[in-house]
Amino acid sequence: MPRSGERAYVYAKACGIIGKSFVGSRIASLEPAGRLTDLDRLVFPQSFRELPERELLIDLERRIIGRSSGQIISIVNSYSKPPEFLVRLLRSYEYGDLKSALAAVAGKDPNTPVFTNLGRFGVVKFDAYPDIAAMVSGTEFESLISQAPKKGDGTIALQIKLDKQYYTALWESLFYLKRRDRTGIEAILSEEISLRNVVWALRLRTYYRMAGDEVREKLIDLKFPSRRGTEGNSHSLTADARAALELPLDTYAPWASWKRASFLNPERSDAWTADPRYFQNAASRHLYHMARHYFHRRPFSIDTAACFIKLKQFEEDLLTSIAEGLGIGMTSRDVFALLEVR
């Protein structure tokens, strides 16, 4: 376990970075941005670029992701022996980049996706792109990729398998931490997986017309480890998604008593349909508020570093969403209204 000096240093460093990040009250400072150049000057006041809008969007998103991942790596590197759980959290970038690579190859995209450099923490050889087999050779992804179907629904099926693999490894590494080190992030991660299952259930039913039985087998079904004298925690991380499978996608009334009803798009006077994107945005806000709550709660625990990672990734998602909105003619206020971020 990390020494007390390392813990104190990480907390101080994380607080310094978060204090300058666009979270909490500083989110409001992004609202006046009406163009990409405005956002660039707000986010990178010392190093903004003079580029045409189309080029600036791509460049700005790369810099946003690069800065966020770089700051996260700097925190993880502050430990002489980084806890596996934090490394697994960091490697969410690698899973996302691998999904992008698979989609680009499947779609015959002539452009090479942008990959995040994780330094010593990365295992995928992205410099071998577009040779997927070479990219994952000798890694935990090798058998998963080699068994994937080459045509048809292979891409979505593989994304689901990658999600399952990521969350399973992350969940298992969580319980290597002492209880006092993981209280906050255990609550956050269990919520994240539960909500992720609901998002998948809504997406698969809405966009792929999958039946309930087919969706059930694709959920991330993880268990809390058994404790002495018990049979483990009976709380299921699939319960909310399974309950949602029984509800009609085009009628709001049956959803009103569902546990996660507050995350749904509101009922309107016209026809209503459950919106997976709205639910995902609401879930993201909920997890962000949890991370803010736990960030300062146990200053010298691993919770601090884990919540730091979650807060930086929320900021990254917010900034890239604003950039993409500005790129298609929206304003920051429009994006804020769409995401319901205030």
Side-chain angles (χ1 to χ4, degrees), residues 102-103 105-107 132 141-162 210 218:
L102 290 165
V105 170
I132 300 294
F141 303 105
E142 187 170 15
S143 61
L144 194 66
I145 301 298
S146 64
Q147 295 169 13
K150 306 301 180 186
K151 297 180 181 179
D153 297 333
T155 302
I156 187 65
L158 189 51
Q159 284 187 11
I160 291 170
K161 288 181 179 179
L162 284 168
M210 287 190 186
K218 293 175 171 54

Side-chain angles (χ1 to χ4, degrees), residues 49-298:
R49 308 282 175 85
E50 297 290 349
L51 294 171
E53 292 271 303
R54 185 183 295 271
E55 293 178 34
L56 181 57
L57 174 59
I58 297 171
D59 181 75
L60 180 56
E61 288 187 332
R62 286 178 179 175
R63 282 182 285 137
I64 289 169
I65 295 169
R67 184 173 73 172
S68 179
S69 60
Q71 290 173 334
I72 292 171
I73 290 171
S74 75
I75 289 294
V76 178
N77 260 328
S78 295
Y79 297 99
S80 56
K81 294 182 179 178
E84 182 186 353
F85 178 77
L86 296 182
V87 175
R88 289 284 177 182
L89 270 183
L90 170 61
R91 287 185 58 212
S92 63
Y93 284 101
E94 191 166 61
Y95 277 79
D97 287 349
L98 183 54
K99 288 181 185 179
S100 297
L102 290 165
V105 170
K108 295 182 168 50
D109 190 336
N111 300 311
T112 300
V114 177
F115 303 124
T116 305
N117 183 4
L118 299 185
R120 68 187 178 107
F121 300 113
V123 299
V124 177
K125 308 171 190 69
F126 287 108
D127 56 352
Y129 181 86
D131 186 342
I132 300 294
M135 286 168 52
V136 301
S137 177
T139 73
E140 63 198 66
F141 303 105
E142 187 170 15
S143 61
L144 194 66
I145 301 298
S146 64
Q147 295 169 13
K150 306 301 180 186
K151 297 180 181 179
D153 297 333
T155 302
I156 187 65
L158 189 51
Q159 284 187 11
I160 291 170
K161 288 181 179 179
L162 284 168
D163 271 5
K164 282 188 174 184
Q165 180 170 299
Y166 170 72
Y167 280 109
T168 298
L170 187 63
W171 187 249
E172 290 173 351
S173 67
L174 172 67
F175 292 97
Y176 287 124
L177 300 174
K178 292 182 178 179
R179 176 163 294 280
R180 66 175 180 270
D181 263 330
R182 69 170 196 262
T183 303
I185 195 59
E186 181 179 329
I188 293 170
L189 185 57
S190 61
E191 276 287 90
E192 180 177 336
I193 295 170
S194 180
L195 293 168
R196 184 70 167 227
N197 277 327
V198 175
V199 171
W200 267 118
L202 289 174
R203 285 183 60 193
L204 293 175
R205 291 179 68 198
T206 301
Y207 304 137
Y208 298 92
R209 305 289 187 236
M210 287 190 186
D213 288 343
E214 193 176 0
V215 173
R216 281 188 188 90
E217 66 184 26
K218 293 175 171 54
L219 299 178
I220 304 166
D221 192 6
L222 300 174
K223 302 288 190 299
F224 287 82
S226 298
R227 301 192 182 102
R228 187 180 302 170
T230 73
E231 294 182 0
N233 193 319
S234 61
H235 174 64
S236 171
L237 301 182
T238 64
D240 298 335
R242 288 176 182 272
L245 293 177
E246 308 301 324
L247 303 173
L249 292 172
D250 59 356
T251 307
Y252 180 82
W255 295 80
S257 59
W258 179 54
K259 180 181 176 180
R260 302 293 187 175
S262 62
F263 293 80
L264 292 167
N265 47 304
E267 184 179 24
R268 305 294 187 190
S269 56
D270 53 351
W272 179 88
T273 303
D275 184 348
R277 293 179 189 174
Y278 188 99
F279 189 97
Q280 185 167 349
N281 288 337
S284 177
R285 292 194 302 273
H286 172 64
L287 295 170
Y288 156 71
H289 288 298
M290 289 186 73
R292 284 196 69 202
H293 171 73
Y294 283 110
F295 178 66
H296 292 293
R297 196 162 180 179
R298 288 183 174 81

Side-chain angles (χ1 to χ4, degrees), residues 292-312:
R292 284 196 69 202
H293 171 73
Y294 283 110
F295 178 66
H296 292 293
R297 196 162 180 179
R298 288 183 174 81
F300 307 123
S301 69
I302 304 302
D303 269 348
T304 292
C307 290
F308 170 85
I309 293 173
K310 290 297 184 184
L311 289 172
K312 289 304 300 183

